[in-house]
Amino acid sequence: MSEWLSRMHEASRQRSYTGTLVVSAGAAMSASKIWHVCDGQQQVERIDSLTGAPRTTIRRNNEVITFAPESKTATVEKRESLGLFPDMGRTPSNQIPQFYSAREVGVQRVAGHLADTVEILPRDEWRFGYRIWSEQQSGLVVKIQTLGEQGAVLEQVAFTELQLDAPVSMDKLKQAMKDTRGYEVIKPALKKTTAEAQGWRLKEAIPGFQSMSCHTRETGQGLAPGQAPMQWVFSDGLASVSLFVEPFDEQRHRQEKPAAVGATHSVGRRVGDHWVTAMGEVPVATLKRFIQAIERTQP
């Protein structure tokens, strides 16, 4: 399984392509046009929303800018991926086979391309399963379903049209990324840190999930140490969970009931003077374990 996952991961990094991508989650559906190009050293990608509010997102490696024409704002961020597919192999050690099993299902056509189909099923109740279609020649993921209990499809991402090795101009995409004329450029101030430095820890480890990153967001309000909003990210190599920690606000933070959109679930809980939200494409029970495990180590 590790070799197969590595091939898919490399294909997403090495191949140039254009296509139309459709995401369906419950009753909601969205579509985007995507251009992806790479030269072995860097990847550049543009995604235009075809449904909902107009949005253009351009990524160069981990630098991302999102143009919102209606509000005339351009938001600059650093992101490892645009979240179209699971970010394969993010965990430091290749532990995916410990928590998932894989079986070949057969060959199907997706967006006009023959694709090998594999089911990746969880070995415990703390994660969802996946059904993944990868184009036979390149290994590029062309469709993925997130599977809940009894194999129910919670969410699906699929190309409806795909041109492999398309002539995409990296220079043109880079130029579009820099052209912010007429837009207000917003750069959220993120500061790399550790949960421990911010006064937080997990009382118990959640099986398979390793800490990947931790950032605080500067609000410009001169908050005391440990009060700036924090995002702590965990991954098991396929699924990821984010813990968002912020000062408790009586007006906003009233809901402790779980919420769900497709495969993405969230749970909130008050911890002292803070509000913690756990969010990720995992079962609610997993988020509840995270949210019960996090505790304050500083006053």
Side-chain angles (χ1 to χ4, degrees):
M1 175 165 59
S2 301
E3 194 175 303
W4 184 76
L5 289 171
S6 296
R7 182 171 181 253
M8 287 194 306
H9 186 59
E10 282 307 304
S12 71
R13 294 161 57 87
Q14 302 295 336
R15 298 301 288 253
S16 296
Y17 55 84
T18 64
T20 303
L21 198 72
V22 173
V23 180
S24 53
M29 185 183 243
S30 61
S32 304
K33 181 76 177 175
I34 181 169
W35 295 260
H36 180 98
V37 62
C38 49
D39 61 7
Q41 298 297 315
Q42 55 185 340
Q43 300 179 71
V44 184
E45 191 168 75
R46 171 177 176 153
I47 298 177
D48 286 2
S49 65
L50 301 177
T51 53
R55 286 279 187 282
T56 294
T57 301
I58 306 175
R59 173 171 75 98
R60 177 178 172 270
N61 297 333
N62 67 348
E63 298 168 20
V64 178
I65 185 166
T66 301
F67 294 90
E70 290 179 345
S71 61
K72 286 294 180 186
T73 56
T75 305
V76 179
E77 303 170 90
K78 286 196 179 295
R79 271 192 269 168
E80 291 302 315
S81 93
L82 292 179
L84 297 177
F85 300 111
D87 200 358
M88 311 288 181
R90 278 197 70 195
T91 49
S93 57
N94 198 337
Q95 58 168 14
I96 294 173
Q98 290 180 47
F99 299 98
Y100 297 90
S101 63
R103 68 184 186 98
E104 293 184 22
V105 179
V107 178
Q108 290 184 350
R109 264 172 33 104
V110 177
H113 298 270
L114 285 175
D116 294 318
T117 314
V118 172
E119 280 187 351
I120 299 179
L121 301 175
R123 298 186 186 274
D124 59 27
E125 71 273 30
W126 306 116
R127 56 209 95 233
F128 291 138
Y130 302 93
R131 191 175 293 122
I132 302 176
W133 289 255
S134 61
E135 196 270 327
Q136 277 193 329
Q137 299 301 316
S138 65
L140 183 72
V141 174
V142 291
K143 179 177 175 180
I144 184 165
Q145 294 175 338
T146 305
L147 309 176
E149 292 181 15
Q150 280 91 47
V153 178
L154 302 175
E155 191 166 307
Q156 176 172 287
V157 182
F159 282 104
T160 56
E161 172 266 326
L162 175 66
Q163 182 185 353
L164 288 170
D165 300 318
V168 182
S169 168
M170 182 176 282
D171 287 340
K172 279 187 180 177
L173 290 184
K174 284 184 186 174
Q175 286 168 12
M177 194 172 190
K178 293 175 185 172
D179 188 4
T180 57
R181 287 172 298 177
Y183 282 81
E184 179 193 355
V185 178
I186 299 170
K187 293 185 179 180
L190 294 180
K191 184 180 174 187
K192 201 169 185 179
T193 183
T194 64
E196 291 77 14
Q198 298 302 311
W200 295 93
R201 69 167 186 176
L202 290 187
K203 286 183 284 191
E204 62 163 353
I206 315 304
F209 287 92
Q210 297 187 29
S211 176
M212 302 300 297
S213 65
C214 187
H215 292 86
T216 55
R217 185 179 292 268
E218 301 302 322
T219 62
Q221 295 175 354
L223 295 172
Q227 291 295 308
M230 179 185 87
Q231 181 182 5
W232 190 5
V233 180
F234 297 81
S235 174
D236 69 357
L238 291 180
S240 64
V241 170
S242 286
L243 294 178
F244 297 92
V245 180
E246 58 188 325
F248 176 71
D249 181 334
E250 202 170 314
Q251 297 299 313
R252 292 192 303 121
H253 300 140
R254 297 178 177 178
Q255 184 88 344
E256 291 205 3
K257 289 190 293 187
V261 178
T264 302
H265 294 76
S266 64
V267 179
R269 172 178 169 247
R270 184 175 180 178
V271 180
D273 294 331
H274 293 81
W275 183 265
V276 181
T277 303
M279 180 181 291
E281 290 195 350
V282 294
V284 169
T286 309
L287 298 179
K288 286 183 175 177
R289 275 194 74 171
F290 270 101
I291 219 162
Q292 294 298 330
I294 192 170
E295 66 178 5
R296 194 88 176 112
T297 60
Q298 296 174 7

